[in-house]
Amino acid sequence: MSNPTVSIPSTPTPWWRVKAMWLVVGGPAAVVIASMVTITLAIKNPDPVLDKRAPNQALKPAEDIGDAARAEALVKLQPAQQARNHAASPVVPQTKP
């Protein structure tokens, strides 16, 4: 039988040349950089504050329109109202007699 020989390098490999180390450090480093980019974008471009009075002000001109135009506008809204009401209503199972 032959004895396998193990060769030990005379100088150890520096840590930055070990490829597995970059997998261990690279993932968390990418997440930290992405979070910093996200924070920077959130600080530079904040969402506007919504005015709660705006819907009431938008409805005021609708009160001033004539009956025919108002009826036409309400007819256009009916599919949306039906869908909203259908989604909010519970489903009642049908019982067989």
Side-chain angles (χ1 to χ4, degrees):
M1 277 197 194
S2 66
N3 290 335
T5 58
V6 177
S7 63
I8 299 175
S10 59
T11 59
T13 307
W15 64 270
W16 62 86
R17 292 194 185 217
V18 179
K19 293 178 183 175
M21 188 279 311
W22 289 109
L23 289 175
V24 172
V25 174
V31 171
V32 169
I33 291 170
S35 67
M36 288 182 188
V37 169
T38 303
I39 289 171
T40 303
L41 289 173
I43 291 172
K44 287 187 177 183
N45 304 317
D47 288 339
V49 177
L50 297 178
D51 186 13
K52 291 184 178 181
R53 296 173 292 170
N56 295 337
Q57 292 173 354
L59 291 177
K60 260 203 184 287
E63 295 172 353
D64 298 337
I65 62 174
D67 290 335
R70 185 182 180 106
E72 184 181 332
L74 288 175
V75 168
K76 289 180 182 177
L77 289 176
Q78 278 188 348
Q81 288 175 342
Q82 289 172 355
R84 181 197 66 208
N85 292 340
H86 177 71
S89 64
V91 177
V92 180
Q94 296 289 333
T95 59
K96 294 183 180 183

XYZ file of all heavy atoms in Angstrom:
721
model
N 0.809 -1.183 0.000
C 0.000 0.000 0.000
C 0.849 1.242 0.000
O 1.909 1.268 0.582
C -0.836 0.047 1.254
C -2.072 -0.734 1.181
S -3.074 -0.124 2.492
C -4.206 -1.362 2.514
N 0.273 2.222 -0.630
C 1.019 3.479 -0.676
C 0.410 4.452 0.331
O -0.799 4.520 0.511
C 0.976 4.062 -2.078
O -0.338 4.427 -2.379
N 1.249 5.186 0.948
C 0.784 6.197 1.908
C 0.510 7.502 1.170
O 1.404 8.018 0.487
C 1.848 6.432 2.983
C 1.987 5.240 3.902
O 1.038 4.475 4.050
N 3.160 5.085 4.481
N -0.738 8.009 1.296
C -1.004 9.290 0.643
C -0.271 10.404 1.368
O -0.184 10.422 2.590
C -2.520 9.467 0.764
C -2.927 8.601 1.898
C -1.920 7.498 1.979
N 0.263 11.266 0.609
C 0.990 12.383 1.203
C 0.128 13.639 1.115
O -0.526 13.913 0.114
C 2.314 12.632 0.460
O 2.020 12.891 -0.894
C 3.232 11.440 0.604
N 0.105 14.366 2.176
C -0.641 15.616 2.229
C 0.367 16.745 2.147
O 1.314 16.807 2.923
C -1.459 15.714 3.541
C -2.173 17.043 3.628
C -2.408 14.555 3.660
N 0.146 17.594 1.176
C 1.084 18.713 1.037
C 0.518 19.932 1.754
O -0.615 20.349 1.529
C 1.333 19.028 -0.432
O 0.130 19.449 -1.029
N 1.259 20.476 2.610
C 0.880 21.681 3.348
C 1.604 22.848 2.694
O 2.833 22.821 2.547
C 1.264 21.563 4.827
C 0.532 20.374 5.446
C 0.961 22.849 5.566
C 0.927 20.096 6.864
N 0.829 23.861 2.277
C 1.511 24.991 1.645
C 2.416 25.702 2.644
O 2.134 25.774 3.828
C 0.366 25.891 1.195
C -0.819 25.474 1.976
C -0.604 24.044 2.369
N 3.478 26.199 2.102
C 4.453 26.848 2.977
C 3.930 28.192 3.492
O 4.216 28.583 4.610
C 5.783 27.040 2.252
O 5.566 27.834 1.097
N 3.134 28.894 2.664
C 2.551 30.160 3.114
C 1.027 30.032 3.047
O 0.480 29.560 2.054
C 2.996 31.343 2.225
O 2.595 31.072 0.893
C 4.490 31.542 2.297
N 0.328 30.414 4.076
C -1.134 30.290 4.059
C -1.758 31.283 3.071
O -1.202 32.343 2.778
C -1.546 30.613 5.495
C -0.398 31.343 6.093
C 0.829 30.928 5.341
N -2.924 30.919 2.555
C -3.640 31.773 1.607
C -4.276 32.937 2.358
O -4.896 32.737 3.403
C -4.749 30.961 0.909
O -4.166 29.799 0.350
C -5.422 31.764 -0.172
N -4.148 34.162 1.857
C -4.795 35.296 2.529
C -6.314 35.133 2.512
O -6.888 34.503 1.621
C -4.386 36.508 1.702
C -3.323 36.050 0.782
C -3.397 34.571 0.697
N -7.000 35.724 3.482
C -8.448 35.530 3.625
C -9.228 36.070 2.434
O -10.275 35.560 2.086
C -8.953 36.159 4.919
C -8.787 37.650 4.977
C -7.723 38.348 5.458
C -9.726 38.623 4.531
N -7.914 39.678 5.342
C -9.158 39.894 4.776
C -10.971 38.570 3.950
C -9.802 41.076 4.455
C -11.617 39.749 3.639
C -11.038 40.989 3.900
N -8.747 37.092 1.774
C -9.494 37.681 0.662
C -9.407 36.850 -0.615
O -10.107 37.103 -1.571
C -9.051 39.118 0.391
C -7.614 39.262 -0.005
C -7.102 39.157 -1.261
C -6.522 39.548 0.844
N -5.749 39.338 -1.256
C -5.365 39.599 0.043
C -6.373 39.763 2.212
C -4.103 39.847 0.569
C -5.123 40.027 2.720
C -4.010 40.061 1.891
N -8.551 35.857 -0.616
C -8.447 34.994 -1.795
C -9.244 33.701 -1.650
O -9.312 32.917 -2.587
C -6.989 34.666 -2.066
C -6.235 35.893 -2.496
C -4.925 35.524 -3.066
N -4.191 36.748 -3.360
C -3.427 36.888 -4.388
N -3.241 35.901 -5.211
N -2.792 38.018 -4.592
N -9.880 33.506 -0.515
C -10.700 32.312 -0.309
C -12.094 32.621 -0.853
O -12.772 33.538 -0.399
C -10.772 31.943 1.191
C -11.649 30.719 1.408
C -9.370 31.706 1.735
N -12.530 31.863 -1.857
C -13.791 32.155 -2.548
C -15.001 31.930 -1.655
O -15.992 32.650 -1.755
C -13.893 31.322 -3.814
C -12.868 31.713 -4.846
C -12.946 30.849 -6.070
C -11.835 31.264 -7.033
N -11.777 30.397 -8.194
N -14.947 30.946 -0.786
C -16.086 30.671 0.088
C -16.326 31.831 1.053
O -17.464 32.100 1.448
C -15.857 29.380 0.857
N -15.280 32.553 1.426
C -15.428 33.689 2.328
C -16.267 34.781 1.675
O -17.086 35.417 2.331
C -14.039 34.227 2.713
C -14.037 35.287 3.793
S -14.414 36.994 3.314
C -13.384 37.279 1.953
N -16.143 34.972 0.380
C -16.906 36.008 -0.319
C -18.385 35.647 -0.378
O -19.247 36.529 -0.407
C -16.339 36.261 -1.710
C -15.015 36.965 -1.621
C -13.804 36.444 -1.894
C -14.804 38.309 -1.185
N -12.821 37.375 -1.665
C -13.410 38.545 -1.231
C -15.615 39.336 -0.751
C -12.843 39.747 -0.856
C -15.051 40.551 -0.388
C -13.680 40.739 -0.442
N -18.706 34.367 -0.401
C -20.111 33.955 -0.334
C -20.706 34.256 1.040
O -21.857 34.667 1.162
C -20.248 32.464 -0.641
C -20.005 32.054 -2.087
C -20.053 30.540 -2.203
C -21.051 32.681 -2.987
N -19.914 34.048 2.079
C -20.394 34.290 3.438
C -20.535 35.786 3.716
O -21.507 36.223 4.312
C -19.433 33.634 4.461
C -19.780 34.029 5.880
C -19.449 32.131 4.298
N -19.613 36.580 3.271
C -19.632 38.017 3.552
C -20.428 38.785 2.499
O -21.067 39.787 2.808
C -18.171 38.549 3.621
C -18.132 40.049 3.768
C -17.440 37.886 4.766
N -20.421 38.300 1.271
C -21.051 39.046 0.176
C -22.562 39.177 0.300
O -23.125 40.231 -0.007
N -23.254 38.130 0.732
C -24.712 38.187 0.861
C -25.170 39.254 1.849
O -25.954 40.148 1.497
N -24.720 39.197 3.092
C -25.104 40.232 4.048
C -24.638 41.634 3.639
O -25.337 42.621 3.871
C -24.437 39.804 5.345
C -24.290 38.326 5.211
C -24.029 38.084 3.759
N -23.493 41.735 3.001
C -23.021 43.055 2.552
C -23.947 43.623 1.483
O -24.261 44.824 1.494
C -21.600 42.946 2.015
N -24.425 42.773 0.584
C -25.363 43.233 -0.452
C -26.675 43.698 0.175
O -27.269 44.687 -0.260
C -25.611 42.123 -1.458
N -27.151 43.007 1.207
C -28.386 43.402 1.885
C -28.210 44.738 2.589
O -29.104 45.595 2.551
C -28.817 42.293 2.878
C -29.952 42.758 3.759
C -29.199 41.039 2.129
N -27.078 44.955 3.225
C -26.826 46.231 3.910
C -26.777 47.368 2.902
O -27.360 48.437 3.119
C -25.521 46.153 4.735
C -25.097 47.530 5.227
C -25.692 45.200 5.897
N -26.128 47.167 1.788
C -26.048 48.214 0.757
C -27.432 48.501 0.177
O -27.816 49.660 -0.006
C -25.042 47.807 -0.336
C -23.625 47.822 0.234
C -25.143 48.733 -1.541
C -22.583 47.218 -0.674
N -28.217 47.458 -0.075
C -29.567 47.654 -0.614
C -30.453 48.398 0.385
O -31.267 49.247 -0.002
C -30.186 46.307 -0.967
N -30.318 48.118 1.673
C -31.120 48.837 2.666
C -30.719 50.297 2.751
O -31.568 51.172 2.931
C -30.999 48.171 4.032
O -29.683 48.305 4.533
N -29.435 50.593 2.594
C -28.998 51.997 2.594
C -29.551 52.742 1.386
O -29.954 53.899 1.497
C -27.473 52.066 2.633
C -26.874 51.692 3.950
S -25.091 51.867 3.899
C -24.644 51.152 5.449
N -29.581 52.082 0.233
C -30.159 52.695 -0.966
C -31.651 52.946 -0.752
O -32.173 54.010 -1.098
C -29.911 51.804 -2.202
C -30.722 52.271 -3.398
C -28.430 51.791 -2.547
N -32.345 51.991 -0.157
C -33.773 52.142 0.104
C -34.043 53.285 1.066
O -34.958 54.090 0.857
C -34.348 50.829 0.669
O -34.080 49.777 -0.253
C -35.841 50.948 0.908
N -33.261 53.390 2.119
C -33.427 54.487 3.092
C -33.157 55.822 2.416
O -33.883 56.798 2.629
C -32.501 54.270 4.305
C -33.006 53.094 5.134
C -32.404 55.519 5.160
C -32.070 52.664 6.226
N -32.133 55.890 1.579
C -31.821 57.132 0.876
C -32.974 57.539 -0.033
O -33.372 58.710 -0.056
C -30.533 56.967 0.046
O -29.474 56.560 0.914
C -30.158 58.257 -0.646
N -33.538 56.601 -0.764
C -34.672 56.913 -1.630
C -35.894 57.351 -0.827
O -36.623 58.261 -1.227
C -35.027 55.703 -2.492
C -34.034 55.358 -3.598
C -34.423 54.044 -4.263
C -33.971 56.470 -4.619
N -36.120 56.721 0.322
C -37.274 57.077 1.142
C -37.117 58.463 1.741
O -38.095 59.207 1.876
C -37.461 56.044 2.251
N -35.912 58.847 2.079
C -35.693 60.176 2.658
C -35.765 61.252 1.581
O -36.350 62.319 1.799
C -34.337 60.220 3.404
C -34.420 59.355 4.664
C -33.939 61.641 3.751
C -33.103 59.173 5.381
N -35.206 61.004 0.411
C -35.191 62.017 -0.643
C -36.539 62.170 -1.330
O -36.849 63.251 -1.830
C -34.127 61.680 -1.692
C -32.718 61.915 -1.204
C -31.724 61.739 -2.317
C -30.325 62.061 -1.828
N -29.343 61.984 -2.887
N -37.356 61.112 -1.404
C -38.640 61.154 -2.103
C -39.768 60.685 -1.186
O -40.317 59.609 -1.378
C -38.599 60.270 -3.353
C -37.481 60.657 -4.283
O -37.246 61.826 -4.513
N -36.781 59.671 -4.806
N -40.140 61.475 -0.185
C -41.205 61.017 0.720
C -42.574 61.059 0.033
O -42.790 61.822 -0.911
C -41.132 62.018 1.866
C -40.581 63.246 1.257
C -39.632 62.781 0.180
N -43.474 60.214 0.511
C -44.833 60.226 -0.007
C -45.541 61.483 0.495
O -45.331 61.928 1.622
C -45.606 58.998 0.469
C -45.134 57.732 -0.204
O -44.531 57.852 -1.279
O -45.373 56.654 0.336
N -46.417 62.062 -0.332
C -47.129 63.256 0.125
C -48.169 62.890 1.181
O -48.723 61.797 1.178
C -47.795 63.777 -1.151
C -47.935 62.573 -2.009
C -46.755 61.708 -1.690
N -48.429 63.825 2.084
C -49.445 63.628 3.099
C -50.800 63.857 2.455
O -51.020 64.848 1.763
C -49.223 64.608 4.274
C -50.315 64.457 5.313
C -47.862 64.373 4.887
N -51.716 62.920 2.662
C -53.034 63.033 2.063
C -53.924 63.931 2.913
O -53.939 63.841 4.136
C -53.676 61.647 1.931
C -52.944 60.673 1.024
C -53.654 59.335 1.029
C -52.863 61.210 -0.379
N -54.680 64.768 2.232
C -55.614 65.653 2.908
C -56.950 64.935 3.029
O -57.546 64.534 2.034
C -55.770 66.954 2.101
C -56.616 67.971 2.828
O -56.875 67.788 4.034
O -57.008 68.961 2.178
N -57.422 64.754 4.258
C -58.673 64.025 4.457
C -59.887 64.833 4.010
O -60.953 64.283 3.826
C -58.821 63.640 5.924
C -57.820 62.600 6.357
C -58.045 62.175 7.778
C -57.057 61.098 8.166
N -57.265 60.636 9.530
N -59.724 66.115 3.833
C -60.842 66.943 3.389
C -61.011 66.913 1.876
O -62.021 67.355 1.358
C -60.629 68.389 3.841
C -60.624 68.527 5.358
C -60.254 69.915 5.748
N -58.838 70.089 5.372
C -58.201 71.241 5.385
N -58.818 72.333 5.728
N -56.942 71.307 5.047
N -60.057 66.386 1.148
C -60.094 66.407 -0.313
C -61.304 65.686 -0.901
O -61.917 66.205 -1.829
C -58.803 65.838 -0.885
N -61.707 64.511 -0.418
C -62.885 63.880 -1.023
C -64.146 64.726 -0.879
O -64.959 64.793 -1.794
C -63.025 62.559 -0.257
C -61.665 62.271 0.246
C -61.046 63.612 0.512
N -64.308 65.383 0.246
C -65.484 66.236 0.430
C -65.457 67.419 -0.522
O -66.493 67.843 -1.036
C -65.573 66.721 1.877
C -65.804 65.573 2.835
O -66.305 64.529 2.436
N -65.417 65.750 4.080
N -64.290 67.970 -0.770
C -64.180 69.095 -1.695
C -64.392 68.632 -3.127
O -64.913 69.371 -3.945
C -62.801 69.757 -1.556
C -62.623 70.446 -0.218
C -61.203 70.948 -0.015
O -60.333 70.680 -0.827
N -60.977 71.665 1.073
N -64.028 67.409 -3.438
C -64.218 66.900 -4.795
C -65.694 66.615 -5.064
O -66.146 66.690 -6.199
C -63.397 65.632 -5.005
N -66.459 66.302 -4.035
C -67.873 66.010 -4.215
C -68.729 67.274 -4.308
O -69.841 67.235 -4.796
C -68.392 65.133 -3.068
C -67.855 63.713 -3.044
C -68.375 62.985 -1.826
C -68.261 62.970 -4.297
N -68.239 68.395 -3.833
C -69.016 69.634 -3.870
C -69.439 70.021 -5.283
O -70.608 70.323 -5.488
C -68.244 70.769 -3.211
C -68.700 71.009 -1.809
C -68.347 72.420 -1.433
C -68.695 72.690 -0.016
N -70.028 72.829 0.335
N -68.570 69.997 -6.291
C -69.028 70.336 -7.634
C -70.072 69.353 -8.162
O -70.915 69.708 -8.963
C -67.764 70.286 -8.486
C -66.648 70.462 -7.540
C -67.124 69.874 -6.241
N -70.063 68.111 -7.685
C -71.040 67.135 -8.143
C -72.442 67.486 -7.660
O -73.425 67.122 -8.292
C -70.655 65.747 -7.661
N -72.535 68.198 -6.552
C -73.845 68.604 -6.046
C -74.451 69.710 -6.896
O -75.661 69.881 -6.929
C -73.725 69.053 -4.595
C -73.313 67.928 -3.657
C -73.004 68.427 -2.256
O -72.989 69.654 -2.050
O -72.754 67.579 -1.379
N -73.617 70.454 -7.588
C -74.089 71.591 -8.369
C -74.528 71.214 -9.777
O -75.118 72.047 -10.466
C -72.986 72.663 -8.458
C -72.612 73.196 -7.075
O -73.454 73.088 -6.161
O -71.487 73.699 -6.931
N -74.263 69.988 -10.221
C -74.620 69.625 -11.590
C -76.109 69.305 -11.673
O -76.763 69.026 -10.660
C -73.773 68.430 -12.107
C -74.018 67.177 -11.257
C -72.311 68.776 -12.136
C -73.325 65.959 -11.804
N -76.627 69.307 -12.873
C -78.050 69.071 -13.087
C -78.437 67.626 -12.840
O -77.592 66.744 -12.684
N -79.745 67.391 -12.821
C -80.240 66.053 -12.516
C -79.866 65.037 -13.590
O -79.551 63.884 -13.277
C -81.765 66.094 -12.356
C -82.178 66.819 -11.079
O -81.358 66.845 -10.140
O -83.306 67.347 -11.030
N -79.899 65.428 -14.857
C -79.582 64.482 -15.939
C -78.114 64.063 -15.876
O -77.785 62.878 -16.000
C -79.889 65.106 -17.292
N -77.216 65.028 -15.679
C -75.788 64.713 -15.604
C -75.485 63.909 -14.347
O -74.645 63.001 -14.364
C -74.963 65.995 -15.623
N -76.176 64.213 -13.266
C -75.967 63.480 -12.013
C -76.419 62.022 -12.173
O -75.742 61.095 -11.733
C -76.707 64.159 -10.885
C -76.462 63.536 -9.535
C -77.289 64.259 -8.476
N -77.058 63.678 -7.190
C -76.346 64.232 -6.232
N -75.808 65.413 -6.430
N -76.168 63.625 -5.086
N -77.566 61.826 -12.815
C -78.060 60.464 -13.034
C -77.103 59.679 -13.924
O -76.850 58.490 -13.693
C -79.451 60.516 -13.650
N -76.549 60.345 -14.938
C -75.598 59.679 -15.832
C -74.332 59.277 -15.079
O -73.797 58.192 -15.267
C -75.248 60.612 -16.994
C -74.334 59.984 -18.025
C -74.000 60.958 -19.139
O -74.805 61.862 -19.417
O -72.912 60.797 -19.714
N -73.876 60.153 -14.182
C -72.680 59.848 -13.397
C -72.944 58.682 -12.448
O -72.083 57.818 -12.247
C -72.234 61.077 -12.622
N -74.134 58.634 -11.860
C -74.456 57.538 -10.952
C -74.566 56.208 -11.691
O -74.198 55.165 -11.151
C -75.752 57.845 -10.201
C -75.639 58.945 -9.136
C -77.006 59.248 -8.551
C -74.669 58.552 -8.050
N -75.063 56.228 -12.925
C -75.156 55.000 -13.705
C -73.766 54.458 -14.002
O -73.533 53.241 -13.972
C -75.954 55.248 -15.013
C -75.812 54.089 -15.968
C -77.413 55.498 -14.690
N -72.811 55.344 -14.252
C -71.440 54.905 -14.524
C -70.795 54.281 -13.290
O -69.919 53.435 -13.404
C -70.594 56.084 -15.002
C -70.941 56.544 -16.390
C -70.063 57.707 -16.799
C -70.444 58.218 -18.179
N -69.647 59.387 -18.554
N -71.220 54.701 -12.104
C -70.630 54.184 -10.869
C -71.265 52.874 -10.407
O -70.726 52.210 -9.539
C -70.763 55.217 -9.747
C -69.888 56.454 -9.873
C -70.187 57.419 -8.748
C -68.424 56.064 -9.842
N -72.390 52.483 -10.947
C -73.093 51.311 -10.448
C -72.284 50.023 -10.504
O -72.301 49.264 -9.534
C -74.425 51.142 -11.163
C -75.487 52.018 -10.572
C -76.859 51.714 -11.134
O -76.973 51.001 -12.126
N -77.871 52.243 -10.500
N -71.571 49.706 -11.578
C -70.789 48.455 -11.541
C -69.774 48.429 -10.402
O -69.591 47.397 -9.765
C -70.101 48.417 -12.906
C -70.963 49.245 -13.786
C -71.531 50.313 -12.899
N -69.154 49.562 -10.115
C -68.177 49.605 -9.019
C -68.877 49.417 -7.679
O -68.378 48.704 -6.800
C -67.419 50.925 -9.038
N -70.045 50.025 -7.509
C -70.767 49.880 -6.251
C -71.256 48.448 -6.073
O -71.210 47.905 -4.974
C -71.949 50.857 -6.210
C -71.508 52.295 -6.034
C -72.670 53.272 -6.107
O -73.733 52.939 -6.604
N -72.448 54.476 -5.616
N -71.711 47.832 -7.147
C -72.174 46.449 -7.049
C -71.020 45.518 -6.679
O -71.181 44.623 -5.850
C -72.800 46.005 -8.365
C -74.134 46.664 -8.642
C -74.646 46.351 -10.041
O -73.954 45.720 -10.830
N -75.848 46.809 -10.340
N -69.868 45.726 -7.263
C -68.709 44.895 -6.948
C -68.278 45.108 -5.507
O -67.953 44.148 -4.798
C -67.559 45.206 -7.896
N -68.281 46.347 -5.049
C -67.895 46.634 -3.672
C -68.867 45.983 -2.703
O -68.481 45.361 -1.735
C -67.850 48.142 -3.435
C -67.419 48.489 -2.006
C -67.738 49.894 -1.630
N -69.191 50.027 -1.586
C -69.835 51.156 -1.807
N -69.184 52.239 -2.116
N -71.142 51.211 -1.739
N -70.145 46.123 -2.967
C -71.142 45.552 -2.074
C -71.100 44.030 -2.105
O -71.311 43.370 -1.093
C -72.539 46.053 -2.445
C -72.698 47.531 -2.154
O -71.948 48.088 -1.361
N -73.646 48.162 -2.797
N -70.833 43.450 -3.265
C -70.753 41.998 -3.371
C -69.542 41.479 -2.590
O -69.627 40.440 -1.927
C -70.654 41.569 -4.834
C -70.486 40.089 -5.003
N -71.500 39.202 -4.754
C -69.426 39.347 -5.362
C -71.061 37.973 -4.965
N -69.806 38.036 -5.337
N -68.434 42.175 -2.653
C -67.223 41.740 -1.958
C -67.398 41.859 -0.447
O -66.815 41.083 0.312
C -66.022 42.549 -2.417
N -68.202 42.825 0.004
C -68.379 43.038 1.433
C -69.448 42.136 2.027
O -69.499 41.944 3.231
C -68.743 44.496 1.697
N -70.321 41.589 1.208
C -71.406 40.764 1.744
C -70.921 39.330 1.958
O -70.150 38.798 1.170
C -72.598 40.777 0.799
O -72.247 40.175 -0.422
N -71.397 38.711 3.030
C -70.990 37.319 3.256
C -71.715 36.392 2.288
O -72.803 36.675 1.825
C -71.423 37.054 4.697
C -72.554 37.997 4.925
C -72.246 39.223 4.090
N -71.092 35.294 2.013
C -71.687 34.303 1.116
C -72.625 33.428 1.947
O -72.221 32.822 2.934
C -70.600 33.433 0.449
C -71.213 32.356 -0.414
C -69.668 34.319 -0.347
N -73.877 33.378 1.564
C -74.870 32.584 2.275
C -75.068 31.284 1.492
O -75.489 31.316 0.342
C -76.206 33.344 2.407
C -77.221 32.492 3.146
C -75.990 34.674 3.096
N -74.750 30.153 2.094
C -74.912 28.901 1.356
C -76.392 28.574 1.164
O -77.209 28.804 2.034
C -74.207 27.871 2.238
C -74.186 28.467 3.602
C -74.198 29.957 3.418
N -76.695 28.032 0.012
C -78.063 27.641 -0.309
C -78.325 26.263 0.316
O -77.512 25.357 0.202
C -78.250 27.571 -1.821
C -78.079 28.905 -2.520
C -79.229 29.853 -2.222
O -80.334 29.421 -1.937
N -78.962 31.140 -2.287
N -79.457 26.149 0.977
C -79.833 24.849 1.543
C -80.839 24.180 0.627
O -81.730 24.834 0.092
C -80.439 25.029 2.950
O -81.571 25.870 2.846
C -79.422 25.629 3.888
N -80.680 22.912 0.437
C -81.597 22.167 -0.414
C -82.792 21.710 0.418
O -82.611 21.213 1.533
C -80.885 20.966 -1.035
C -79.798 21.376 -1.990
C -79.184 20.169 -2.635
C -78.097 20.611 -3.594
N -77.516 19.491 -4.285
N -84.009 21.879 -0.144
C -85.191 21.438 0.633
C -85.337 19.934 0.695
O -84.867 19.153 0.009
C -86.366 22.067 -0.118
C -85.846 22.569 -1.413
C -84.367 22.554 -1.335
